[in-house]
């Protein structure tokens, strides 16, 4: 089988919001299929084209390209009301995806009691994760506990109440007197009403993708969240409830590893995190504040301010190894313009005068990490919109050279602004021919 383009995965390497949406949109025009494979409407992927901004939560970020077929894979959890709103918003702006959308019959539905449980927990006294409050964790929990509801179940309306009942009742018991959920029959009735316009899009996405792959059609896999939020390889328990790393791609599409050729890992030229949990390179000072303001680091989904810090190469090296990253999509370099110096975390003090790059498995140990920061001279010239390597300030080049060496991975794409045209495929990288 020969492919003109590599089947390509775009995965987040830090704590999310790296700019996956921008990169997916940028390359999606070349691909026939774009597939989301995990996460739900906790994701917020921003695409900016000609000054117009689109925030996509569950619809794949290839939506803006008329030739792009959009697939929602089996590993995704879906809020159908939000999904319909997304389709409507896109349509209002002239983008009708109805002839090029397929959603897996195996994908799970986020239900009102999932959202209620998520919010109840976050308001309680137990460990606060700082979730998006969208019911993501409980939806995946109920999936694993075999109490979930899948899109395919909607074909059997009479069975819905029975499928949902146990999970619903367990949540009602747990929430006790604070439970203000509607009765089960109302939830089912609402669900059927909300799902009605979605029904035509439900089908066998595994078969669709397999056929596409066999025909040599290129597939672009769009990750949501990121490596440090991965349920197994992230900063547990301060993580999301799916595998956002490479393994989740295969489980969440039903395709084999052979159906993937290249992996781009997306990271910012600094680091951000939204929600609770360890963040060794966090800057709680004026520099962190400046990065937040210049980078407009406020959540696409919840509007929460994002915590900001230096680029952490130990984390990036871990993420690149975990995902087998071929090249970095390095985003938002322009946000660092004008800083007198730029820090790079190369590892953590090992307590014996040396540096370790091994990441702990336990969140409590993460809090003990003492980052070792190497400082680089900043640059005064603007990098905003730069599209050629030779136009980058020398100081920025020096920073990027150190960053790639410490991350053990070359750059494939450098982003210098939110718009499609702001940035460039790194000369000699595999993305150069993809984007040519
Ligand atoms: P995602 O969740 O990984 O898709 O990222 P988000 O969309 O949540 O957040 C990334 C934000 O940075 C969005 O507002 C993008 O428009 C913006 N962005 C992406 N690349 C760049 C860049 O190179 N420079 C600047 N200044 N903004 C960027
Ligand atoms: P994208 O795809 C940034 C974070 C939440 C919280 C934790 C668990 O836009 O990069 P959840 O609601 O998933 O149970 O919350 O994960 N989180 C994200 N942070 N970007 C995201 O998605 C996120 N999705 C979840 O803030 O800390
Ligand atoms: Mg986001």
């Amino acid at each position: 089988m020969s492919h003109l383009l590599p089947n390509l995965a775009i995965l987040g390497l830090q704590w999310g919001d790296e700019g996956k949406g921008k990169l997916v949109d940028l390359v999606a025009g070349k691909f026939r299929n774009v597939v989301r494979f995990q996460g739900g409407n906790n994701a917020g992927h921003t695409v900016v084209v000609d000054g117009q901004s689109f925030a996509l939560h569950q619809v794949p970020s290839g939506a803006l390209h008329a030739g792009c077929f959009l697939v929602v894979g089996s590993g995704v959890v879906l809020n159908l009301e939000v999904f319909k709103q997304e389709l409507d918003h896109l349509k209002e702006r002239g983008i009708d995806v109805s002839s090029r959308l397929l959603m897996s019959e195996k994908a799970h539905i986020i239900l009102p009691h999932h959202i209620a449980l998520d919010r109840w927990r976050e308001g309680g006294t137990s460990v606060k994760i700082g979730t998006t409050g969208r019911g993501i964790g409980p939806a995946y929990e109920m999936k694993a506990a075999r109490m979930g509801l899948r899109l395919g179940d909607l074909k059997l309306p009479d069975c819905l109440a029975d499928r949902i009942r146990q999970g619903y009742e367990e949540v009602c018991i747990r929430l006790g007197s604070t439970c203000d959920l509607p009765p089960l029959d109302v939830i089912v009735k609402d669900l059927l009403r909300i799902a009605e316009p979605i029904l035509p899009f439900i089908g066998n996405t595994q078969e669709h993708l397999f056929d596409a792959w066999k025909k040599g059609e290129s597939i672009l896999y769009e990750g949501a969240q990121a490596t440090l939020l991965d349920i197994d390889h992230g900063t547990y328990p301060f993580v999301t409830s799916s595998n956002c790393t490479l393994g989740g791609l295969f489980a969440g599409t039903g395709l084999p590893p052979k159906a993937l050729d290249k992996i781009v890992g997306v990271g910012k030229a600094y680091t951000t995190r939204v929600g609770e949990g360890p963040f060794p390179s966090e800057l709680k000072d004026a520099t962190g504040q400046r990065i937040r303001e210049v980078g407009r680091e406020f959540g696409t989904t919840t509007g929460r301010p994002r915590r900001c810090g230096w680029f952490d190469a130990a984390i990036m090296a871990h993420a690149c190894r975990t995902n087998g990253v071929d090249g970095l999509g390095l985003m938002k370099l322009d946000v660092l313009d004008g800083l007198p110096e730029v820090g790079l975390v190369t590892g953590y003090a090992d307590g014996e005068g040396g540096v370790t790059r091994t990441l702990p498995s336990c969140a409590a140990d993460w809090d003990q990490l003492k980052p070792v920061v190497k400082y680089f001279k900043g640059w005064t010239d603007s990098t905003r919109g730069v599209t050629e390597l030779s136009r980058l300030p020398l100081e920025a080049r020096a920073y990027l050279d150190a960053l790639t060496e410490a991350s053990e991975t070359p750059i494939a794409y450098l982003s210098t602004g939110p718009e499609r045209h702001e940035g460039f495929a790194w000369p000699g990288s595999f993305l150069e021919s993809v984007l040519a």
Side-chain angles (χ1 to χ4, degrees):
M1 189 191 329
S2 69
H3 293 280
L4 290 174
L5 289 168
N7 294 305
L8 183 71
I10 294 189
L11 305 175
L13 298 181
Q14 296 161 327
W15 277 285
D17 302 326
E18 294 89 350
K20 298 175 291 293
K22 167 177 170 170
L23 203 49
V24 169
D25 167 72
L26 178 73
V27 296
K30 310 273 180 180
F31 285 76
R32 177 67 187 125
N33 299 277
V34 181
V35 55
R36 276 278 311 268
F37 52 86
Q38 45 71 230
N41 60 322
N42 48 350
H45 296 180
T46 316
V47 174
V48 184
V49 184
D50 298 333
Q52 278 203 72
S53 181
F54 297 81
L56 299 164
H57 300 283
Q58 301 171 115
V59 173
S61 299
L64 274 60
H65 298 273
C68 220
F69 195 89
L70 310 176
V71 179
V72 177
S74 56
V76 171
V77 290
L78 284 163
N79 183 316
L80 296 184
E81 198 163 14
V82 174
F83 197 90
K84 179 65 174 47
Q85 281 165 8
E86 277 195 72
L87 295 184
D88 290 347
H89 286 154
L90 283 168
K91 209 167 174 180
E92 279 161 21
R93 297 173 76 177
I95 298 155
D96 184 356
V97 301
S98 54
S99 61
R100 50 185 180 99
L101 172 67
L102 191 65
M103 302 161 78
S104 173
E105 56 208 356
K106 298 181 197 164
H108 279 245
I109 301 172
I110 301 171
L111 294 163
H113 51 287
H114 301 157
I115 299 170
L117 181 59
D118 191 6
R119 294 186 179 173
W120 175 79
R121 278 193 190 135
E122 286 288 299
T125 49
S126 57
V127 181
K128 190 173 151 65
I129 305 296
T131 72
T132 57
R134 302 296 194 262
I136 305 298
Y140 278 114
E141 271 170 72
M142 300 261 175
K143 171 179 174 176
R146 291 151 298 181
M147 288 189 262
L149 190 72
R150 312 207 289 186
L151 286 185
D153 295 329
L154 294 168
K155 289 180 200 145
L156 299 168
D158 293 342
C159 303
L160 294 187
D162 285 340
R163 296 278 311 121
I164 296 172
R165 182 168 289 107
Q166 194 179 349
Y168 171 81
E169 286 176 354
E170 286 187 12
V171 173
C172 290
I173 291 167
R174 205 140 8 137
L175 269 57
S177 60
T178 64
C179 181
D180 59 358
L181 283 165
L184 186 58
D185 59 329
V186 174
I187 289 187
V188 171
K189 213 169 121 223
D190 283 351
L191 178 62
L192 286 170
R193 178 183 47 79
I194 292 163
E196 216 260 332
I198 305 283
L199 295 177
F201 307 120
I202 301 173
N204 187 333
T205 53
Q206 184 182 21
E207 199 173 86
H208 169 88
L209 290 170
F210 194 80
D211 288 349
W213 173 47
K214 284 290 160 190
K215 274 192 279 182
E217 282 183 6
S218 47
I219 300 172
L220 179 60
Y221 302 86
E222 175 179 3
Q225 290 80 52
T227 306
L228 273 293
L229 288 172
D230 180 278
I231 183 101
D232 289 297
H233 303 291
T235 44
Y236 191 89
F238 301 97
V239 292
T240 191
S241 299
S242 65
N243 282 116
C244 339
T245 49
L246 187 62
L249 182 155
F250 304 111
T253 57
L255 288 187
K258 285 178 190 157
L260 174 66
D261 302 303
K262 289 282 182 195
I263 300 149
V264 175
V266 191
K268 283 173 184 158
Y270 48 95
T271 313
T272 64
R273 163 160 218 174
V274 58
E276 308 299 318
F279 182 177
S281 69
E282 182 170 12
L283 293 164
K284 294 181 179 165
D285 57 8
T287 307
Q289 178 71 13
R290 183 183 195 273
I291 292 174
R292 178 159 43 251
E293 275 159 22
V294 177
R296 299 190 182 174
E297 295 296 355
F298 298 89
T300 311
T301 299
T302 58
R304 290 178 290 176
R306 296 172 182 153
R307 299 154 65 191
C308 298
W310 295 131
F311 185 91
D312 187 326
I315 278 175
M316 290 295 276
H318 158 77
C320 289
R321 267 180 245 138
T322 306
N323 295 299
V325 169
D326 295 294
L328 295 178
L330 193 75
M331 317 300 279
K332 303 189 89 161
L333 180 71
D334 54 295
V335 173
L336 302 179
D337 291 353
L339 283 176
E341 56 180 12
V342 177
L344 175 74
V345 172
T346 53
Y348 314 105
D350 66 2
E352 293 165 11
V355 176
T356 176
R357 284 160 62 87
T358 305
L359 300 177
S361 55
C362 176
D365 293 334
W366 274 84
D367 290 336
Q368 308 308 316
L369 293 179
K370 304 231 173 335
V372 176
V373 188
K374 190 169 173 189
Y375 289 95
F376 293 80
K377 192 168 178 294
W379 50 94
T380 45
D381 289 353
S382 169
T383 64
R384 179 71 191 257
V386 164
T387 54
E388 284 167 45
L389 185 55
S390 60
R391 302 281 300 274
L392 287 180
L394 288 178
E395 295 87 351
R397 282 293 301 272
Y399 172 64
L400 293 178
D401 286 349
L403 176 157
T404 45
E405 195 189 330
S407 304
E408 302 166 9
T409 312
I411 297 177
Y413 176 82
L414 183 73
S415 181
T416 55
E419 290 269 358
R420 251 184 214 163
H421 62 267
E422 292 179 308
F424 58 93
W426 199 260
S429 76
F430 67 90
L431 271 189
E432 219 184 3
S433 56
V434 171
L435 286 170

